[in-house]
Amino acid sequence: MNENGTDAVSAPLRAGFIGGGFMAAVHGRAVRTAGVIPAGVASSTLESAGRAAARLGLGHAYSSVEQLLDDDSIDVVHICTPNVTHAEFAAAALQAGKHVVCEKPLATSVEDAAAVTALARTLGRTAAVPFVYRFHPMVREARARVRHGQVGRVLTIQGSFLQDWLLSSEDDDWRVDESLGGPSRAFADIGSHLCDVIEFILNDRISRLAALTRTAFSQRGGRDVRTEDIVSVVFETRGGAVGTLLISQVAPGRKNRLALEISGTTETLTFDQEQPETLWVGRRSGSQLLVRDPAVLDPSAARYCSLPAGHPQGYQDAFNSFISDVYLAVRSGTAPDGLPLFEDGLRASRLTSAVQRSAREGGWQDVPPNYPEPTGHKTPLLTLKERQ
């Protein structure tokens, strides 16, 4: 029982949001589905917070991030702001005693990602990053087939994540601006999702890689562009598999196509996020197309079937499942299997850093594990007041 005599386990949790754009809308819908109260939002100004609160149904409009974090009734803070602010806001929320859901990238440098990850670990808070493609049931089915040995020894991986929303030189967004989006765009934004899904399914890590990057247009919106539109990667895993990745935000006709093919000595598995209800299982003879059906899937996949077979599930359903598991972890103190935490956000930062090093210096680059943390100088995370 809490100080008000309410059962703290069954009492509805309350979520606060920093940022009021597209991702805040996605988070807000997922929070409501999980039975959590969207209690308030802070944005760049009180006026913009008020508009977001009204438009997205996020409750109270706070005059500042500090005011939101000072509200003891807020249990979990969702950070949906430009990339360069993520680590700063996440650290402030953790220090205010909140659990945190922080949009990726967790940080725009490995040093900041490591610092905020260590802070979450020290404070014992649930701190999650929305690598939500893990929550498609057919991704879980692929993972189960690898785990149970049905694929055999994994030999090769082909992956791509293709979009066309920046196809024209006239297309622009804050993510293109390095001062807001950080030094990597295409890889940090969508390539990180692709790598996370691959490593999640394989229960293996990319150990080294070689990368090329390209910027399709030197200017957008009247300013120079220094972040990449296209990334090509060759990689090797610790387990000895080899693979290739192609990431592009300038691929005509592709809206949000995360696709991967994993080939082992027995089976090939193919998943396409734009067709998330199916998983192709290739064999030397007797290939088949598995359709999402909780009656026949592995229990770890059937758990994420929120609708009966034949009723399509998509991206928002995957996001809803992620948020449901976040709040289960908050309530129970134990993270469900496969919940992506800040450690996974740090992992993505290390991969992004290796891609940038390879593109800049050439050749193969090792991708170090998260722990032990690298020794030497670390850039400290500045507090909100220090950054003002």
Side-chain angles (χ1 to χ4, degrees):
M1 306 286 277
N2 63 19
E3 61 185 8
N4 297 318
T6 304
D7 186 337
V9 174
S10 60
L13 293 169
R14 294 168 61 84
F17 299 81
I18 305 177
F22 166 73
M23 288 313 304
V26 175
H27 283 246
R29 287 191 292 268
V31 159
R32 283 188 287 272
T33 299
V36 175
I37 298 171
V41 58
S43 189
S44 55
T45 65
L46 177 59
E47 291 73 22
S48 62
R51 290 192 296 271
R55 185 178 75 257
L56 305 178
L58 297 183
H60 176 71
Y62 292 90
S63 62
S64 67
V65 171
E66 292 88 346
Q67 186 186 44
L68 183 152
L69 296 181
D70 285 341
D71 186 344
D72 291 336
S73 73
I74 299 293
D75 300 294
V76 182
V77 171
H78 293 247
I79 299 169
C80 308
T81 51
N83 301 346
V84 296
T85 66
H86 287 175
E88 166 193 358
F89 287 152
L94 289 166
Q95 290 162 344
K98 315 298 185 185
H99 304 278
V100 178
V101 181
C102 181
E103 268 300 325
K104 43 103 268 306
L106 177 59
T108 55
S109 73
V110 171
E111 292 79 11
D112 276 2
V116 74
T117 299
L119 181 63
R121 194 166 62 246
T122 298
L123 296 177
R125 292 288 166 177
T126 297
V129 177
F131 285 120
V132 298
Y133 298 103
R134 294 184 180 195
F135 291 85
H136 283 297
M138 303 315 285
V139 167
R140 297 282 173 146
E141 178 68 14
R143 183 188 189 218
R145 297 183 79 87
V146 171
R147 278 186 161 186
H148 298 330
Q150 291 163 274
V151 173
R153 178 167 58 92
V154 175
L155 302 173
T156 63
I157 305 104
Q158 301 174 66
S160 63
F161 202 150
L162 307 177
Q163 300 175 332
D164 70 358
W165 68 287
L166 289 172
L167 181 60
S168 166
S169 61
E170 297 178 358
D171 295 324
D172 198 10
D173 185 81
W174 63 260
R175 292 170 180 82
V176 175
D177 186 346
E178 186 178 10
S179 68
L180 296 174
S184 173
R185 175 170 31 91
F187 190 86
D189 186 22
I190 60 175
S192 58
H193 274 299
L194 179 59
C195 290
D196 180 77
V197 170
I198 289 170
E199 293 191 339
F200 179 68
I201 291 173
L202 297 184
N203 191 31
D204 194 6
R205 295 295 200 191
I206 294 171
S207 58
R208 63 183 190 130
L209 57 80
L212 294 173
T213 62
R214 293 291 183 269
T215 301
F217 302 104
S218 60
Q219 285 199 332
R220 293 180 186 270
R223 65 176 182 274
D224 293 340
V225 177
R226 288 186 288 272
T227 53
E228 77 281 356
D229 294 301
I230 303 165
V231 186
S232 178
V233 180
V234 181
F235 68 88
E236 180 181 13
T237 73
R238 293 180 195 170
V242 295
T244 61
L245 307 175
L246 181 64
I247 298 103
S248 174
Q249 294 178 319
V250 290
R254 295 302 187 188
K255 304 306 177 185
N256 202 64
R257 189 173 188 260
L258 182 156
L260 58 91
E261 185 160 295
I262 296 168
S263 295
T265 53
T266 307
E267 289 182 348
T268 291
L269 304 177
T270 302
F271 175 78
D272 180 349
Q273 197 273 153
E274 290 189 344
Q275 305 292 330
E277 290 284 277
T278 60
L279 179 72
W280 185 75
V281 181
R283 304 186 188 94
R284 195 163 190 176
S285 61
S287 299
Q288 67 180 128
L289 188 67
L290 291 180
V291 178
R292 184 189 61 79
D293 182 351
V296 299
L297 296 183
D298 185 86
S300 65
R303 177 176 181 264
Y304 292 97
C305 293
S306 57
L307 296 170
H311 300 267
Q313 289 183 213
Y315 172 77
Q316 185 69 56
D317 298 287
F319 210 103
N320 294 353
S321 293
F322 160 68
I323 291 297
S324 178
D325 273 7
V326 168
Y327 282 88
L328 179 60
V330 170
R331 292 186 180 97
S332 69
T334 302
D337 177 52
L339 180 65
L341 300 172
F342 275 18
E343 283 80 4
D344 300 291
L346 171 57
R347 172 66 184 169
S349 290
R350 294 200 189 284
L351 284 161
T352 302
S353 177
V355 165
Q356 290 180 297
R357 287 197 311 273
S358 181
R360 183 175 60 248
E361 301 170 9
W364 288 88
Q365 297 289 334
D366 291 334
V367 185
N370 279 358
Y371 305 108
E373 297 296 345
T375 58
H377 174 71
K378 293 182 182 179
T379 303
L381 287 166
L382 299 180
T383 66
L384 290 175
K385 290 182 179 178
E386 287 172 331
R387 287 186 181 262
Q388 291 174 346

